[in-house]
Amino acid sequence: MRSTFADVYAAQYRRTVGLAALLVDDVETAEEITQDAFVALHRNWVHVTDPIAYLRRSVVNGGRDVQRRRAVRRRTEDRELLADDASLDVNHLDDVLRTLPDRQRAAIVLRYCEGLGDADIAEALGVRQPTVRTLVRRGLAQLRTQVER
Amino acid sequence: MTDTFTDDLAAHLQARRDEVAAATTPPTLDALFDRPTPLTTVASAGHRRRNATIALAAAAVMLLVVGVLALTRDGSQRVSTLPAGQVRRLAGAGTPFLLPPGDDAKVEFNAIPEASREIVFPTAVNGTLETLVSGAAGDTARLLTLAAAGPRDDTMMDPFSSLRRSDMFDPAVWFDRLDTTLEASGDQTWSDPTGSIPGSDRAVLVTEPDRPSILAIQRGTLRIALFGNGLTDTELISVAASLQFSDAAGGVTFGDVPDGLVPLVPRSTRPPAFGTGYSARSKAASIGVAAVDDAAFDAAMAVHSTGAFAPRWTVLRGGPDWVLQLVDFPRNSVGVRDGGWVSLHLPKGGGVDGPVALAAFDMIRVVDIDTFGAALGSGTVAREAQVRNDTEKTVDRIEDWGGWLPRLPAGYDLEDYSLIGSNPPTIGGLDGLVPLWAPATGATLGVGDAPSEDVERQGPPTQRSVRLETAVLGGRETELRSWPMAPDDVYAVFDDGEGQRVQTVGSGLTVDQVRAYVDSIRRLDDGTWSATPPPGFEPIPLARPADAAATRDVTDRNGGIDGAELNFSIPDSPERVAVDVHEPDLTVAADMIAQFFSTGPVERMTTGNVTWYRLRSTFLDQHRVAIPGTTTRPTVIVASSALTDDQLFEIASSLRQASDAEVEQVFAPLLDG
């Protein structure tokens, strides 16, 4: 028996916010992305075969949109990273994670936080599996280099 | 990279995620939906109708704040929010959207609307909608909607699926269950006014206190629903009695309607498969606009909504440029403005009474129409590029899966596709039990987790199960229950001894069969379970013993995309044939075949050395054929209303590994179009 929307909402909301926060740094934006994702999921509920995968992809896309808008603001306003406004505490590993390109960062988070395989990450990011392996390899290399610096 | 580093990284990330999760409080569902239009880019893949009886659990006020600016094309891409190609300049270039009410709030939107891939109707709708309205300013609006659809097409939504309510009669389900005697539940009253509706084969009027009544009518393969606010049941039946039927697309139009009722927006048939959506929003407010000619579905969804409340509207301004304000959520208003269908969600804290809302509505300005149009045009180009990009990725996927495609005669052209995935059709249950099937009758029987009582209580009255009796079976206290939608399908619910409620899952079973089967269920010394299948039952093809823990975990893992549904045109027919091809994998094959068996009585067939399975929906007149996959061949399921079982089997068995060039050739109509 398929779960109801309310089931998925109750079971996945917090975890999805946590995932989104790793992609966009601040909890408020993470909640916004998560809520958008659930609203979209509700609207498409009858079509969605795998609600979790749908949420994951929505959150990754939402995170990417946020980062893109932030990048525009950084260029035009020459301000500090919006990440500096983050409501999360930060440490060195988080700082380094923020330096990764969006897709590398998402791939790392999905692999090492969510424990997903190549196929699932590829689906979430909308890329092919070999690309996932490349993103993870490069992301890890950069993380390690900077952390050990 | 050392294992230690990645282990530390994983632990760190998981801790951060869990830290945020623990500090987060989910808003209520009402609060979730009572918020401005989302900007999130939605996932575009993996959509597919799988289950006709899905409980939508909450209000959908969000529908009020979603809009589409549809495109008017005249060769080159050109955009207008006005009918008949009229474009009226409303303000100077660069002026942002302004959304006052007065001094209470001033919200600046982006000067150029952001392209949004929010899609109100993610796939084509097979049907028509028309909504009528009446009422003078200050009155509660009277609303009447006529929704009609032809035979179900598995690749399309029908208008009822968009309008279904989670907590009341669902016409879509009623139409799907013509072979079943449905019964009212809760405070609902059902009557059969067929004799009052000339031309109807079957009808049901469902009434419920404080709810709009719904009248569902079947005429041949035409399915019709009438519902509204502010009309009496007598009026509803009178309207139905005057409906005009025809052979034209849509098949039905209004005849006589109560005085004053006029179209809210023009009647609409199938809208574009993908509407490129545009909306503007600030932190707390949003506006959505749709070209009014295409707004029938938006309008009907907005004014009737779905979910747990009966929306009532105050008329702020009468026609033809209607403005309606939601009584219970006055920050929301909808209506017609400058040739567009507008959904307006006002900021929190601002004035929301009628005059303020109307002023805000009227101060919406589609400014700098040229820039706006240019933005829309480029957005459309971006959308088309996205569609092409998605299609190219699908081609890549099919090539990665081995390039398996059916061999179809000339004239069968690929019209569209969707990516699909499989999951276990039954979650949880009892380790070791095997899902069963009776080849002689098509009956099925298995065990899965029962929904929690809390979840059941959330469900709509029409979908809450009914306890028939309590018995001790297999030494366990067991409830025998049934669903109002399928009263003959009795099932048993019991505790597995460790606090997990499980239930039998199946169809076509007698009460005695359910009793005997549950009575035979025993726990073995190794913790697994065994049971004696009813006479005539055998494991369904590819069935494996249940792995309750693994399937309970399924919501925590990504079932993923493992196949594609390819929809081909059929020469000289408006129907299509859907070919689902899943990657060669035994687990996928088992899940897909189990799912196939759960959708209706299945017959086993043999042609040559190929064993295949077929089922038929009498009402839909749709035939479906499945050939289970192996580790080297895909699972394939073919469905169509227009082809015979033999033709479907021919298509299913024609699957072969095509070259990359052949795959791309099949997709060429989509890539080139």
Side-chain angles (χ1 to χ4, degrees):
Chain A
M1 178 169 297
R2 177 179 164 147
S3 301
T4 64
F5 176 81
D7 292 340
V8 174
Y9 184 71
Q12 297 295 329
Y13 183 87
R14 290 185 175 87
R15 185 188 175 103
T16 307
V17 173
L19 170 64
L22 290 171
L23 301 176
V24 298
D25 303 318
D26 69 291
V27 176
E28 186 181 345
T29 305
E31 287 213 65
E32 195 154 324
I33 289 171
T34 299
Q35 290 171 16
D36 287 353
F38 273 101
V39 168
L41 173 65
H42 182 270
R43 182 158 50 255
N44 294 295
W45 181 250
V46 293
H47 304 279
V48 173
T49 307
D50 185 338
I52 310 302
Y54 185 94
L55 285 171
R56 193 179 291 133
R57 183 162 184 181
S58 292
V59 164
V60 169
N61 286 340
R64 196 182 305 161
D65 288 347
V66 167
Q67 298 294 12
R68 198 178 297 133
R69 287 198 291 274
R70 287 176 177 175
V72 171
R73 287 195 217 179
R74 282 198 294 268
R75 282 199 301 272
T76 56
E77 300 174 9
D78 192 25
R79 289 184 177 173
E80 295 294 319
L81 292 177
L82 254 88
D84 290 346
D85 297 332
S87 54
L88 284 173
D89 292 331
V90 294
N91 67 15
H92 184 45
L93 188 53
D94 291 323
D95 293 339
V96 174
L97 193 64
R98 286 175 189 157
T99 67
L100 297 183
D102 296 343
R103 289 202 307 178
Q104 278 184 23
R105 176 177 178 172
I108 292 288
V109 168
L110 293 173
R111 167 63 53 80
Y112 293 104
C113 181
E114 297 293 294
L116 301 186
D118 290 348
D120 296 338
I121 298 173
E123 169 55 27
L125 298 183
V127 301
R128 300 182 65 176
Q129 291 185 38
T131 307
V132 170
R133 289 191 281 274
T134 303
L135 290 171
V136 171
R137 190 177 66 247
R138 289 180 180 168
L140 274 180
Q142 188 170 339
L143 279 176
R144 188 180 184 193
T145 300
Q146 296 200 31
V147 167
E148 293 178 352
R149 186 176 287 168
Chain B
M1 192 59 49
T2 65
D3 288 344
T4 303
F5 181 82
T6 53
D7 287 349
D8 289 348
L9 176 64
H12 174 79
L13 292 174
Q14 288 162 10
R16 304 291 286 180
R17 179 196 63 197
D18 295 344
E19 175 191 343
V20 172
T24 300
T25 303
T28 65
L29 285 170
D30 282 346
L32 174 72
F33 295 130
D34 187 18
R35 59 194 291 276
T37 305
L39 289 175
T40 303
T41 301
V42 300
S44 60
H47 303 170
R48 190 176 182 229
R49 185 207 312 269
R50 286 289 187 203
N51 192 335
T53 314
I54 295 171
L56 294 179
V61 179
M62 62 173 183
L63 296 174
L64 307 175
V65 298
V66 173
V68 172
L69 263 176
L71 304 177
T72 305
R73 302 182 187 203
D74 54 6
S76 62
Q77 286 177 343
R78 181 175 175 78
V79 178
S80 171
T81 58
L82 300 171
Q86 302 170 46
V87 177
R88 183 152 38 117
R89 183 179 298 278
L90 299 175
T95 307
F97 282 105
L98 292 177
L99 180 60
D103 294 328
D104 293 327
K106 180 176 179 181
V107 183
E108 290 192 357
F109 293 100
N110 294 334
I112 299 174
E114 291 186 39
S116 163
R117 275 184 282 148
E118 285 298 330
I119 297 163
V120 176
F121 294 96
T123 185
V125 175
N126 177 21
T128 59
L129 270 176
E130 182 164 11
T131 296
L132 307 182
V133 62
S134 72
D139 292 348
T140 300
R142 302 176 85 200
L143 293 158
L144 173 64
T145 288
L146 169 66
R152 180 184 298 284
D153 180 331
D154 198 40
T155 62
M156 293 185 181
M157 296 171 67
D158 61 39
F160 319 113
S161 62
S162 297
L163 293 164
R164 68 174 41 139
R165 293 159 183 272
S166 64
D167 59 347
M168 64 184 298
F169 171 75
D170 179 347
V173 173
W174 183 79
F175 288 125
D176 282 349
R177 303 292 307 202
L178 292 181
D179 56 340
T180 304
T181 303
L182 301 182
E183 293 178 1
S185 65
D187 296 327
Q188 286 186 353
T189 303
W190 291 38
S191 60
D192 176 4
T194 303
S196 306
I197 305 170
S200 67
D201 298 334
R202 187 168 176 260
V204 61
L205 173 67
V206 182
T207 59
E208 194 175 348
D210 303 320
R211 299 282 187 190
S213 299
I214 294 183
L215 178 53
I217 305 163
Q218 190 220 336
R219 174 187 163 90
T221 56
L222 186 63
R223 300 171 293 149
I224 302 159
L226 272 173
F227 46 94
N229 289 39
L231 276 79
T232 65
D233 295 343
T234 303
E235 285 177 313
L236 210 55
I237 292 175
S238 173
V239 170
S242 71
L243 289 174
Q244 307 288 314
F245 299 105
S246 74
D247 295 329
V252 61
T253 54
F254 281 117
D256 297 331
V257 296
D259 285 346
L261 283 171
V262 296
L264 180 57
V265 292
R267 171 186 173 92
S268 176
T269 55
R270 197 175 286 182
F274 287 98
T276 304
Y278 292 85
S279 60
R281 83 169 198 177
S282 70
K283 184 75 177 173
S286 67
I287 168 179
V289 186
V292 75
D293 287 348
D294 290 327
F297 286 78
D298 304 74
M301 289 175 71
V303 298
H304 293 296
S305 187
T306 60
F309 70 99
R312 291 177 302 125
W313 298 85
T314 301
V315 177
L316 295 185
R317 184 172 62 214
D321 288 342
W322 293 92
V323 180
L324 311 176
Q325 185 181 36
L326 197 57
V327 172
D328 296 322
F329 296 87
R331 287 190 286 118
N332 296 304
S333 48
V334 296
V336 179
R337 166 78 177 158
D338 290 324
W341 171 255
V342 174
S343 298
L344 172 64
H345 183 95
L346 288 168
K348 289 179 180 172
V352 292
D353 62 1
V356 172
L358 187 58
F361 197 92
D362 281 346
M363 292 188 75
I364 294 167
R365 292 172 185 160
V366 183
V367 295
D368 185 19
I369 197 72
D370 295 335
T371 306
F372 196 55
L376 293 176
S378 61
T380 302
V381 171
R383 175 65 202 168
E384 288 176 348
Q386 177 67 32
V387 169
R388 181 183 174 87
N389 192 30
D390 288 347
T391 304
E392 288 172 346
K393 284 179 189 169
T394 300
V395 169
D396 289 345
R397 283 173 185 275
I398 290 175
E399 290 168 357
D400 287 346
W401 292 329
W404 292 93
L405 287 179
R407 195 185 300 276
L408 291 167
Y412 285 70
D413 295 322
L414 184 64
E415 291 208 330
D416 61 43
Y417 69 89
S418 55
L419 295 172
I420 53 181
S422 63
N423 267 325
T426 304
I427 302 293
L430 300 174
D431 278 339
L433 295 188
V434 176
L436 303 169
W437 168 55
T441 63
T444 55
L445 175 58
V447 177
D449 283 353
S452 72
E453 291 175 353
D454 284 346
V455 170
E456 274 221 42
R457 274 196 293 272
Q458 291 172 8
T462 51
Q463 294 180 21
R464 288 180 200 154
S465 64
V466 178
R467 184 170 62 195
L468 305 175
E469 64 175 81
T470 302
V472 176
L473 299 173
R476 297 169 298 269
E477 186 167 304
T478 303
E479 291 180 6
L480 292 173
R481 308 182 71 93
S482 72
W483 297 95
M485 297 295 184
D488 294 336
D489 281 342
V490 174
Y491 65 97
V493 184
F494 56 94
D495 190 293
D496 70 353
E498 295 179 350
Q500 177 66 49
R501 274 162 46 96
V502 297
Q503 68 170 70
T504 58
V505 179
S507 62
L509 301 159
T510 67
V511 178
D512 287 343
Q513 284 175 315
V514 173
R515 274 204 196 95
Y517 181 71
V518 174
D519 200 36
S520 76
I521 295 176
R522 294 284 183 275
R523 189 164 207 164
L524 306 179
D525 291 341
D526 64 0
T528 62
W529 299 76
S530 74
T532 305
F537 278 71
E538 62 183 57
I540 64 173
L542 301 176
R544 297 155 297 160
D547 182 345
T551 54
R552 277 178 196 138
D553 240 8
V554 77
T555 54
D556 284 335
R557 71 173 170 82
N558 180 5
I561 299 300
D562 55 41
E565 178 174 293
L566 308 175
N567 293 293
F568 294 91
S569 62
I570 300 173
D572 303 321
S573 169
E575 305 292 340
R576 303 197 285 184
V577 56
V579 183
D580 290 9
V581 182
H582 293 264
E583 65 177 316
D585 179 276
L586 276 182
T587 302
V588 170
D591 287 342
M592 289 313 306
I593 293 301
Q595 190 158 351
F596 186 80
F597 273 68
S598 70
T599 52
V602 171
E603 287 181 77
R604 178 162 47 205
M605 311 293 290
T606 303
T607 301
N609 60 354
V610 179
T611 300
W612 53 286
Y613 302 90
R614 70 177 186 182
L615 67 84
R616 178 175 307 160
S617 163
T618 305
F619 172 63
L620 303 178
D621 195 26
Q622 187 179 67
H623 300 223
R624 296 183 190 184
V625 160
I627 301 179
T630 66
T631 54
T632 56
R633 280 188 68 85
T635 299
V636 57
I637 296 173
V638 187
S640 178
S641 301
L643 302 180
T644 66
D645 291 346
D646 288 342
Q647 289 173 308
L648 296 179
F649 172 70
E650 195 172 333
I651 292 170
S653 60
S654 74
L655 220 61
R656 93 290 187 198
Q657 284 188 281
S659 66
D660 289 357
E662 288 175 298
V663 175
E664 282 153 27
Q665 188 177 355
V666 168
F667 274 81
L670 302 184
L671 291 169
D672 295 343

